Amino acid sequence: DRALLVVTAGDAKIDNKKFRHTFGFKARMLSAEEVLEQTGHVVGGVCPFGLANDLDVFLDLSLKRFKTVFPACGSINSAIEVSPEELREYSGAKDWIDVCKDWQESDTEGKAG
């Protein structure tokens, strides 16, 4: 199986139905060991750039409601402040996707980037 990285807002949860519809398979959370092996970062410090492997990165629409976001930078006590568009640029994300629930605001709901 090949891993992929979906970056979401911290208050959003993966919606299994949306994920399956988007990717064609069921979401599976990696173990801590698999996370380190695939990303080169420990759980809590995973960032969508500087990855150990060439993973497909996707950004969830839940991030777009913020002016800036704070992704981890490879350790549990580091982060960087970037705009959602800068995050897309730096991460080389393939696309914006809608695979989360429990975060929606009327301004962002249903919009694609």
Side-chain angles (χ1 to χ4, degrees):
D1 291 339
R2 182 178 156 98
L4 58 88
L5 179 60
V6 177
V7 182
T8 72
D11 61 346
K13 297 176 185 173
I14 294 291
D15 180 312
N16 288 321
K17 185 176 178 181
K18 286 181 174 183
F19 187 97
R20 187 177 299 126
H21 177 70
T22 301
F23 292 106
F25 58 89
K26 184 179 177 182
R28 179 178 77 82
M29 185 76 72
L30 299 179
S31 70
E33 295 79 23
E34 290 171 314
V35 168
L36 183 58
E37 178 183 314
Q38 290 291 328
T39 68
H41 307 299
V42 297
V43 171
V46 175
C47 64
F49 36 84
L51 298 169
N53 292 304
D54 186 23
L55 302 179
D56 289 340
V57 176
F58 295 89
L59 304 177
D60 187 75
L61 291 177
S62 59
L63 294 163
K64 281 195 163 189
R65 67 194 147 123
F66 301 108
K67 186 175 181 177
T68 59
V69 294
F70 296 85
C73 288
S75 70
I76 60 171
N77 59 357
S78 63
I80 184 172
E81 182 178 9
V82 294
S83 72
E85 285 307 316
E86 288 171 325
L87 181 61
R88 182 176 185 171
E89 178 185 341
Y90 301 157
S91 68
K94 296 224 174 260
D95 206 355
W96 289 99
I97 58 173
D98 180 13
V99 295
C100 286
K101 61 183 178 181
D102 298 340
W103 66 268
Q104 279 84 1
E105 290 186 352
S106 59
D107 289 353
T108 312
E109 206 166 297
K111 292 184 181 177

